Amino acid sequence: MLFTIPVALATALTLFPASHAPAYQEYVALGDSWSADVSLTHMTTEHTPRGCLQATYNYPKQVAAALRVATFRDATCSGATTTAMREPQRVRLVPRLIEGVNKPQFDRLTRRTDLVTLGIGGNDAGLSHAVLGCINLLPSLAAVPGLALPAPLGKPCSRKWVTDGTDRMSRNIQATEPKVAAAVRGVRERSPRARILLVNYLAGLPENGGCWPYVTVTDEDMRWLSARLRELNAMLGRVAAAEQVELVDTYSTSLGHDVCKPPGTRWVEALLPISTNPPGPAVPFHPNRLGANHQASSVLDALSPR
């Protein structure tokens, strides 16, 4: 399969020239679908079963190629939670076609591993499921007197998450924090020499409202979802600080490339499962190749000599 070297990788090749000995010998990538950069048309089974939807161009593969590591293992998988670090993950999207069992992601770690990237937490909190649950066939009708249609017929879904001033998604994110911290400690226990980079989530959701009907999520719900995404990333920042590992911030550097932007500008695909980067079917609300390129560039920038 032909693969065009993205700008991120081309830049990295200048930062890590072939004449220099590789700085890292054994790189292991851990994480969920936003690290696997899931793809329906460019998936690979080199490292994980087909059900993981791991993309040939995901950011771990770009990083490994740029660093010219001798040993590379990519455990990233669609739907992964922190539990998948220690336990097998059954993935079954299409029986007999897109399924399989991804062995515990920590199984790829060894005492020789000297570089680890970890992107996890969104599925533990349930934010990805919440996004899909906020799809609305009608614009918000909540302000129309006497009209009380349920979601997905105009009622903002975010209201079911907030009761008596308590946001259940915020509570989910808080409950996820010790799980991510435990995952970081689990990496350190198995690979004490490893440089650990905790990678946060791209700015895939606009902060100031949506773009219904282009993306059929009401303005109120999009603002709520975006706020929870920022809350999730803030939690990852706290974990990185507490566990004394490096945070790779892909969020602040990807603002303006959300699902409401046109093809070529957006780095996270919208609800319509069609992408131009790469052309073909896409997984909604997940990074496209441009997003993967930016993730790779962010990781490589963190690793580049200062």
Side-chain angles (χ1 to χ4, degrees), residues 277-288:
N277 296 284
V283 180
F285 298 108
H286 281 80
N288 56 29

Side-chain angles (χ1 to χ4, degrees), residues 34 202-204 250 253-259 261-262 264-269 286-292 294-295:
W34 278 52
L202 294 163
T250 68
T253 51
S254 62
L255 291 168
H257 298 277
D258 54 71
V259 296
K261 297 301 184 289
T265 300
R266 65 172 177 260
W267 293 350
V268 174
E269 288 302 334
H286 281 80
N288 56 29
R289 183 154 53 190
L290 295 177
H294 180 71
Q295 291 169 310

Side-chain angles (χ1 to χ4, degrees), residues 136-161:
N136 244 308
L137 302 179
L138 297 175
S140 179
L141 302 174
V144 179
L147 191 60
L149 295 176
L153 300 175
K155 182 179 180 179
C157 77
S158 53
R159 299 185 184 186
K160 73 179 182 181
W161 286 93

Side-chain angles (χ1 to χ4, degrees), residues 9-203:
L9 181 52
T11 301
L13 292 175
T14 66
L15 296 174
F16 301 93
S19 59
H20 292 177
Y24 302 96
Q25 300 296 322
E26 185 172 299
Y27 167 35
V28 175
L30 310 172
D32 58 24
S33 57
W34 278 52
S35 291
D37 290 315
V38 291
S39 173
L40 295 173
T41 56
H42 291 71
M43 70 179 75
T44 173
T45 58
E46 180 183 2
H47 297 272
T48 56
R50 187 172 297 275
C52 287
L53 299 180
Q54 198 180 96
T56 58
Y57 53 77
N58 71 359
Y59 80 79
K61 293 180 181 61
Q62 294 191 43
V63 169
L67 298 179
R68 301 179 178 87
V69 291
T71 302
F72 169 55
R73 304 183 191 93
D74 189 349
T76 59
C77 188
S78 175
T81 64
T82 52
T83 300
M85 299 297 111
R86 295 178 171 84
E87 299 179 11
Q89 178 191 354
R90 178 65 185 269
V91 281
R92 193 177 193 187
L93 303 178
V94 181
R96 298 186 179 182
L97 291 177
I98 306 179
E99 62 177 2
V101 177
N102 194 28
K103 64 183 181 180
Q105 294 198 23
F106 280 169
D107 283 5
R108 278 73 160 194
L109 298 169
T110 73
R111 305 286 291 185
R112 297 181 301 277
T113 303
D114 54 2
L115 177 63
V116 176
T117 54
L118 172 64
I120 203 73
N123 292 323
D124 289 82
L127 186 57
S128 57
H129 292 292
V131 172
L132 295 176
C134 285
I135 301 302
N136 244 308
L137 302 179
L138 297 175
S140 179
L141 302 174
V144 179
L147 191 60
L149 295 176
L153 300 175
K155 182 179 180 179
C157 77
S158 53
R159 299 185 184 186
K160 73 179 182 181
W161 286 93
V162 183
T163 306
D164 297 328
T166 299
D167 191 312
R168 290 186 291 113
M169 182 56 66
S170 293
R171 293 179 63 179
N172 288 355
I173 293 170
Q174 292 172 4
T176 299
E177 188 164 344
K179 298 177 183 178
V180 177
V184 172
R185 291 194 293 272
V187 173
R188 186 176 286 118
E189 290 168 4
R190 291 161 177 79
S191 303
R193 296 177 51 243
R195 183 175 179 180
I196 304 171
L197 285 83
L198 188 60
V199 182
N200 71 8
Y201 293 87
L202 294 163

